[in-house]
Structure formats: structure tokens, C-alpha cells
Amino acid sequence: MTGMTEEGSTGSIGDAGQQIARPAVSGLTVSGMSMPDLLAGMPSDRARKAVDLVDWLMRSDRRTASKSLIEELCERMIEAGLPLDRYASSTSMVTAEHDAVGRYWVRGEGVTETVYVQTEERAPEYLASPYYLAAQTQQWVEVWIPDTSDDRFGIVKSLRDRGITHYICVPILLTNGANAWVTFATRQQTGFSKLDLMTIAFWIPPLTTRIDARLGWSTLDKLLRTYVGDEPHRAILAGRAKRGQVSTIRAAMLVADLRDSTGHMAELSAVQAVDLFNDLFDCLVPPVEERRGEVLKYLGDGLLAVFRETKERSCDASDRALEAAEAALDAVDAFNRLHPDRRPMEIGIALHYGEVAYGNVGSGLRLDFTVIGRDVALASRIASMNAKLSQPLLLSAAFVNHMRRGAEQIGLFPARGFTEKVEIFRPGPRPLLGAAESMARDDDRQMTADHV
């Protein structure tokens, strides 16, 4: 197969990939060779070291952090004789936060990580990269930097400035159909030798297996976390996926919803309604997660979150839940001020303390990991009283009994489905923080951020 060449260059490297102005390796064929054939073509010492690296790669702890794994991998490749000065791996990701992640190792500098968010289907930077050419052809792309113009690929100038002479980009097609790449680069004046390229080709299959397995597990972990919440996703991954398996915790509960959501949606298209709910949740979710709360369920135009007891630095569940509720109300007010041309959002929040049961409910192969129980129902009933009582934030008596701040009783009110009337409170005035308490609160929030 004739490789793609720059104008004025000649040559072919067969199945090794796309030749970019590198006549010195013309005719080399490596990626089409089997692993035994590649091994047979190596001197015995090089072959032994290449096999040792594969053995380590397949035996090393699968839980090792990616950065640490890459750093050790690169050190072992150098020990095996590869003149490596730069290595990178990049993988497409199926997550709610980003579309791809790249990890880059540079000799003497360690590993850095970059995440990418795709704002358009094919970004110009991607189209101008060796990654794109490798993905399109499913062939190696080899770039001999001294004879390659800076405008051939976006990365060429950066590599040249770092003294790189030879760059190899290898495409990897993952089991889920997504793309991944690994790249190798050297500052050696003669570039990678034929033996170096054979060694790289020998390592590609086990590297592919390792990347594919790690990415598959990481994707499953992140998507479960996204759709069912942190604790439920850990329970599912631990094997609790059968109908009827239920766990319970005692926690502060926060139920929030958008008032008159039907009136809002009557004025909006379906797409605009989605945007409205996303704006709403952007106001509600960050205050919850910043205070170690966990959103367990989205309830159409609202959500249910729980705050587990920790007692760390007296930052208990009810106090964190109250702070989150007030911060969410502040966020909605700020949003409304920034958008005076839109119908103002009004939310109601209820806080309750009790027992939450969550687990698998459903039939056959279609289950939902949901939350149920008397206290969940009571929290929801209290949330429905916000509009009637013209209060944005209501507290149950059980919640008040577990909070440090004062509260004001509003009265006893019937709750649908409950035989006795429910005692309802609203929070007392927010305390003015002194300097020492303000610093302690900042410490608590930093601890929360570190924990998350």
C-alpha cells in the first residue's frame, strides 16, 4: 500500500501506515505482521524486554490511576530500548461532561491530562490533526518532522519546537465503535529505527486490550453515576442489580420543584422546555453537590436529594441541606435578575429528616433504581405546600430537631395520605457570620470540595 506523501516526497512503508516525507523507511511493513513474526525479527535481548513489558502491562493493577500507569509504561518502554521522548493516548468518551480525554507524557515533565468538549461535529483542530487522518484510514500516520511543513498538521510546529524528529500516530478502534489513538515521538536525530517500529507494533495489541477494557469500565462507571447517582451506581456495580434488593439510610432530604411548571411549558416549545429545566437544575444541583448532598432522582420539574450524616467538623446533614436550599433559592433569584425578559422562575423546597430506601423496582429486565418510603412521600407532600403557604422553603419537625439554627413554626397542616396533620416550620433569620465563623465555614466548604 502506498502511503500518503507530502508534495515532493516519495516512498512507501506498506501496512505500517501513512508515510509523510520519510523516504529513509520506504518499504517498511510492520503493522500487518503477526506478533510472533515481529518477535522473531528482533534480537533476543530486545525480544525479551518487549515481552517483559507486555507481561507487566497485562498483570499490572487495573485500578492504578491513569497518570501513574502511563508514567510507568513510558519508563518501561525506554528501559526496553525505545528512544521515547513523548507519548500520548487519546480516547473518545461517552460522558455528560466531555467528549474525549488526552493524556500526554513528556520525558522529564511527567504526565498531563486534558479533556475536550466538542462544540461542533468536526472541529478544525481535529480535521488538521494526525488523529483525523489515522481514524479515516485506520492506518498508522508517520511524520518525519524535519521534512514536514508546519501547516501539514496543527501539531507539527509544537513538535518541532520541542526538538521532536519522528512522530507516529496509531489508531485504535474500540469495542464500542469509538476511536482511540496512541502516539510515540522521539528527539533522536535518526528517528525511530525499523526495530523500534517493530517493537511498537508488537506492543499495540496488548495496549489496545488494556485501553479498551479500562475505557469500557470507566464509561460504565461514569454513565451509571450520571443517571442513577453516586451511591446507587456503586451498589449496582457491586452486584446489587436484582429486583427487590433495597438499602436504607437515615439522612436529610431535600425536595425541590418548579412552581407552575405547566404554565411555563404552555408558553414554550418542547426544546425551550428542556432548556428551562436545565437552567432550573443548574441553580439547584451545584449547591447540593458542593455540600456533599447527592441528587438521587429527578422528578420531572424538580428533584430529590439526600444529605447523609457525617458529623465532620460539626457539618451535619441538616445544616448542609439547609445551606444548600438557601443557596439554590439565591441562585434562582440571581438567574431571574440576569434574565428580566423571561418569565421568572419560582421554586419551592421542602426539607425533611428520616429514612430513605433505595433499590431495584420494576419487572423483568426493565428495572429502575429508585427511592421509596414513608419519609420520601412526606417530603414530597411538604413540597406541595410551598405555593399554598406562600413560602419558598418549608421544614418538617423532624428536620428542625436535627438542625442547629432556629426555626419558626407556621402551623399544622393536612398532608394527603397521612392521617395526622404535619407540623410545618420555616427557617429563622440567617445568622451573620463573624470573622472566625466565616473562616471555619470556608474550611468546611473547602473540605466539601476536596471530598467531592
mmCIF file with all atom_site columns, all heavy atoms in Angstrom, residues 308-319:
data_model
loop_
_atom_site.group_PDB
_atom_site.id
_atom_site.type_symbol
_atom_site.label_atom_id
_atom_site.label_alt_id
_atom_site.label_comp_id
_atom_site.label_asym_id
_atom_site.label_entity_id
_atom_site.label_seq_id
_atom_site.pdbx_PDB_ins_code
_atom_site.Cartn_x
_atom_site.Cartn_y
_atom_site.Cartn_z
_atom_site.occupancy
_atom_site.B_iso_or_equiv
_atom_site.pdbx_formal_charge
_atom_site.auth_seq_id
_atom_site.auth_comp_id
_atom_site.auth_asym_id
_atom_site.auth_atom_id
_atom_site.pdbx_PDB_model_num
ATOM 1  N N   . ARG A 1 308 ? -26.308 12.716 53.748 1.00 0.00 ? 308 ARG A N   1
ATOM 2  C CA  . ARG A 1 308 ? -26.031 11.712 54.774 1.00 0.00 ? 308 ARG A CA  1
ATOM 3  C C   . ARG A 1 308 ? -25.340 12.356 55.971 1.00 0.00 ? 308 ARG A C   1
ATOM 4  O O   . ARG A 1 308 ? -24.600 13.326 55.810 1.00 0.00 ? 308 ARG A O   1
ATOM 5  C CB  . ARG A 1 308 ? -25.131 10.615 54.211 1.00 0.00 ? 308 ARG A CB  1
ATOM 6  C CG  . ARG A 1 308 ? -25.740 9.879  53.036 1.00 0.00 ? 308 ARG A CG  1
ATOM 7  C CD  . ARG A 1 308 ? -24.645 9.105  52.305 1.00 0.00 ? 308 ARG A CD  1
ATOM 8  N NE  . ARG A 1 308 ? -25.171 8.501  51.107 1.00 0.00 ? 308 ARG A NE  1
ATOM 9  C CZ  . ARG A 1 308 ? -25.573 7.238  51.011 1.00 0.00 ? 308 ARG A CZ  1
ATOM 10 N NH1 . ARG A 1 308 ? -25.492 6.461  52.081 1.00 0.00 ? 308 ARG A NH1 1
ATOM 11 N NH2 . ARG A 1 308 ? -26.050 6.756  49.897 1.00 0.00 ? 308 ARG A NH2 1
ATOM 12 N N   . GLU A 1 309 ? -25.525 11.743 57.110 1.00 0.00 ? 309 GLU A N   1
ATOM 13 C CA  . GLU A 1 309 ? -24.842 12.217 58.304 1.00 0.00 ? 309 GLU A CA  1
ATOM 14 C C   . GLU A 1 309 ? -23.344 11.919 58.225 1.00 0.00 ? 309 GLU A C   1
ATOM 15 O O   . GLU A 1 309 ? -22.940 10.824 57.834 1.00 0.00 ? 309 GLU A O   1
ATOM 16 C CB  . GLU A 1 309 ? -25.411 11.533 59.548 1.00 0.00 ? 309 GLU A CB  1
ATOM 17 C CG  . GLU A 1 309 ? -26.798 11.997 59.925 1.00 0.00 ? 309 GLU A CG  1
ATOM 18 C CD  . GLU A 1 309 ? -26.818 13.397 60.529 1.00 0.00 ? 309 GLU A CD  1
ATOM 19 O OE1 . GLU A 1 309 ? -25.775 14.068 60.510 1.00 0.00 ? 309 GLU A OE1 1
ATOM 20 O OE2 . GLU A 1 309 ? -27.881 13.810 61.008 1.00 0.00 ? 309 GLU A OE2 1
ATOM 21 N N   . THR A 1 310 ? -22.513 12.926 58.568 1.00 0.00 ? 310 THR A N   1
ATOM 22 C CA  . THR A 1 310 ? -21.069 12.699 58.615 1.00 0.00 ? 310 THR A CA  1
ATOM 23 C C   . THR A 1 310 ? -20.469 13.165 59.930 1.00 0.00 ? 310 THR A C   1
ATOM 24 O O   . THR A 1 310 ? -19.513 12.587 60.419 1.00 0.00 ? 310 THR A O   1
ATOM 25 C CB  . THR A 1 310 ? -20.355 13.461 57.483 1.00 0.00 ? 310 THR A CB  1
ATOM 26 O OG1 . THR A 1 310 ? -20.563 14.861 57.655 1.00 0.00 ? 310 THR A OG1 1
ATOM 27 C CG2 . THR A 1 310 ? -20.865 13.007 56.132 1.00 0.00 ? 310 THR A CG2 1
ATOM 28 N N   . LYS A 1 311 ? -21.015 14.255 60.492 1.00 0.00 ? 311 LYS A N   1
ATOM 29 C CA  . LYS A 1 311 ? -20.538 14.847 61.747 1.00 0.00 ? 311 LYS A CA  1
ATOM 30 C C   . LYS A 1 311 ? -19.121 15.401 61.654 1.00 0.00 ? 311 LYS A C   1
ATOM 31 O O   . LYS A 1 311 ? -18.521 15.753 62.656 1.00 0.00 ? 311 LYS A O   1
ATOM 32 C CB  . LYS A 1 311 ? -20.578 13.823 62.892 1.00 0.00 ? 311 LYS A CB  1
ATOM 33 C CG  . LYS A 1 311 ? -21.963 13.274 63.180 1.00 0.00 ? 311 LYS A CG  1
ATOM 34 C CD  . LYS A 1 311 ? -22.928 14.366 63.630 1.00 0.00 ? 311 LYS A CD  1
ATOM 35 C CE  . LYS A 1 311 ? -24.289 13.792 64.004 1.00 0.00 ? 311 LYS A CE  1
ATOM 36 N NZ  . LYS A 1 311 ? -25.255 14.848 64.337 1.00 0.00 ? 311 LYS A NZ  1
ATOM 37 N N   . GLU A 1 312 ? -18.548 15.484 60.455 1.00 0.00 ? 312 GLU A N   1
ATOM 38 C CA  . GLU A 1 312 ? -17.209 16.044 60.322 1.00 0.00 ? 312 GLU A CA  1
ATOM 39 C C   . GLU A 1 312 ? -17.264 17.550 60.563 1.00 0.00 ? 312 GLU A C   1
ATOM 40 O O   . GLU A 1 312 ? -18.002 18.276 59.922 1.00 0.00 ? 312 GLU A O   1
ATOM 41 C CB  . GLU A 1 312 ? -16.646 15.761 58.928 1.00 0.00 ? 312 GLU A CB  1
ATOM 42 C CG  . GLU A 1 312 ? -16.406 14.279 58.663 1.00 0.00 ? 312 GLU A CG  1
ATOM 43 C CD  . GLU A 1 312 ? -15.931 14.035 57.232 1.00 0.00 ? 312 GLU A CD  1
ATOM 44 O OE1 . GLU A 1 312 ? -15.630 15.009 56.531 1.00 0.00 ? 312 GLU A OE1 1
ATOM 45 O OE2 . GLU A 1 312 ? -15.871 12.862 56.845 1.00 0.00 ? 312 GLU A OE2 1
ATOM 46 N N   . ARG A 1 313 ? -16.437 18.022 61.494 1.00 0.00 ? 313 ARG A N   1
ATOM 47 C CA  . ARG A 1 313 ? -16.371 19.439 61.839 1.00 0.00 ? 313 ARG A CA  1
ATOM 48 C C   . ARG A 1 313 ? -17.761 20.004 62.123 1.00 0.00 ? 313 ARG A C   1
ATOM 49 O O   . ARG A 1 313 ? -18.082 21.135 61.777 1.00 0.00 ? 313 ARG A O   1
ATOM 50 C CB  . ARG A 1 313 ? -15.709 20.250 60.714 1.00 0.00 ? 313 ARG A CB  1
ATOM 51 C CG  . ARG A 1 313 ? -14.256 19.847 60.459 1.00 0.00 ? 313 ARG A CG  1
ATOM 52 C CD  . ARG A 1 313 ? -13.573 20.868 59.610 1.00 0.00 ? 313 ARG A CD  1
ATOM 53 N NE  . ARG A 1 313 ? -12.253 20.425 59.219 1.00 0.00 ? 313 ARG A NE  1
ATOM 54 C CZ  . ARG A 1 313 ? -11.421 21.135 58.491 1.00 0.00 ? 313 ARG A CZ  1
ATOM 55 N NH1 . ARG A 1 313 ? -11.777 22.334 58.076 1.00 0.00 ? 313 ARG A NH1 1
ATOM 56 N NH2 . ARG A 1 313 ? -10.237 20.674 58.171 1.00 0.00 ? 313 ARG A NH2 1
ATOM 57 N N   . SER A 1 314 ? -18.611 19.203 62.713 1.00 0.00 ? 314 SER A N   1
ATOM 58 C CA  . SER A 1 314 ? -19.992 19.587 63.041 1.00 0.00 ? 314 SER A CA  1
ATOM 59 C C   . SER A 1 314 ? -20.794 19.989 61.801 1.00 0.00 ? 314 SER A C   1
ATOM 60 O O   . SER A 1 314 ? -21.795 20.657 61.907 1.00 0.00 ? 314 SER A O   1
ATOM 61 C CB  . SER A 1 314 ? -19.994 20.753 64.054 1.00 0.00 ? 314 SER A CB  1
ATOM 62 O OG  . SER A 1 314 ? -19.373 20.347 65.253 1.00 0.00 ? 314 SER A OG  1
ATOM 63 N N   . CYS A 1 315 ? -20.321 19.601 60.627 1.00 0.00 ? 315 CYS A N   1
ATOM 64 C CA  . CYS A 1 315 ? -21.031 19.933 59.384 1.00 0.00 ? 315 CYS A CA  1
ATOM 65 C C   . CYS A 1 315 ? -22.035 18.809 59.116 1.00 0.00 ? 315 CYS A C   1
ATOM 66 O O   . CYS A 1 315 ? -21.847 17.968 58.258 1.00 0.00 ? 315 CYS A O   1
ATOM 67 C CB  . CYS A 1 315 ? -20.033 20.059 58.235 1.00 0.00 ? 315 CYS A CB  1
ATOM 68 S SG  . CYS A 1 315 ? -20.746 20.672 56.697 1.00 0.00 ? 315 CYS A SG  1
ATOM 69 N N   . ASP A 1 316 ? -23.100 18.749 59.914 1.00 0.00 ? 316 ASP A N   1
ATOM 70 C CA  . ASP A 1 316 ? -24.014 17.626 59.827 1.00 0.00 ? 316 ASP A CA  1
ATOM 71 C C   . ASP A 1 316 ? -25.005 17.782 58.684 1.00 0.00 ? 316 ASP A C   1
ATOM 72 O O   . ASP A 1 316 ? -25.082 18.812 58.020 1.00 0.00 ? 316 ASP A O   1
ATOM 73 C CB  . ASP A 1 316 ? -24.732 17.424 61.163 1.00 0.00 ? 316 ASP A CB  1
ATOM 74 C CG  . ASP A 1 316 ? -25.538 18.644 61.544 1.00 0.00 ? 316 ASP A CG  1
ATOM 75 O OD1 . ASP A 1 316 ? -26.639 18.801 61.014 1.00 0.00 ? 316 ASP A OD1 1
ATOM 76 O OD2 . ASP A 1 316 ? -25.060 19.449 62.372 1.00 0.00 ? 316 ASP A OD2 1
ATOM 77 N N   . ALA A 1 317 ? -25.782 16.730 58.479 1.00 0.00 ? 317 ALA A N   1
ATOM 78 C CA  . ALA A 1 317 ? -26.629 16.633 57.302 1.00 0.00 ? 317 ALA A CA  1
ATOM 79 C C   . ALA A 1 317 ? -27.654 17.758 57.203 1.00 0.00 ? 317 ALA A C   1
ATOM 80 O O   . ALA A 1 317 ? -27.823 18.379 56.151 1.00 0.00 ? 317 ALA A O   1
ATOM 81 C CB  . ALA A 1 317 ? -27.324 15.276 57.296 1.00 0.00 ? 317 ALA A CB  1
ATOM 82 N N   . SER A 1 318 ? -28.376 18.024 58.279 1.00 0.00 ? 318 SER A N   1
ATOM 83 C CA  . SER A 1 318 ? -29.448 19.023 58.211 1.00 0.00 ? 318 SER A CA  1
ATOM 84 C C   . SER A 1 318 ? -28.901 20.421 57.941 1.00 0.00 ? 318 SER A C   1
ATOM 85 O O   . SER A 1 318 ? -29.498 21.191 57.174 1.00 0.00 ? 318 SER A O   1
ATOM 86 C CB  . SER A 1 318 ? -30.256 19.008 59.509 1.00 0.00 ? 318 SER A CB  1
ATOM 87 O OG  . SER A 1 318 ? -30.938 17.789 59.649 1.00 0.00 ? 318 SER A OG  1
ATOM 88 N N   . ASP A 1 319 ? -27.779 20.771 58.570 1.00 0.00 ? 319 ASP A N   1
ATOM 89 C CA  . ASP A 1 319 ? -27.212 22.101 58.325 1.00 0.00 ? 319 ASP A CA  1
ATOM 90 C C   . ASP A 1 319 ? -26.759 22.246 56.879 1.00 0.00 ? 319 ASP A C   1
ATOM 91 O O   . ASP A 1 319 ? -26.940 23.288 56.253 1.00 0.00 ? 319 ASP A O   1
ATOM 92 C CB  . ASP A 1 319 ? -26.046 22.359 59.279 1.00 0.00 ? 319 ASP A CB  1
ATOM 93 C CG  . ASP A 1 319 ? -26.516 22.507 60.716 1.00 0.00 ? 319 ASP A CG  1
ATOM 94 O OD1 . ASP A 1 319 ? -27.632 23.004 60.920 1.00 0.00 ? 319 ASP A OD1 1
ATOM 95 O OD2 . ASP A 1 319 ? -25.766 22.121 61.631 1.00 0.00 ? 319 ASP A OD2 1
#
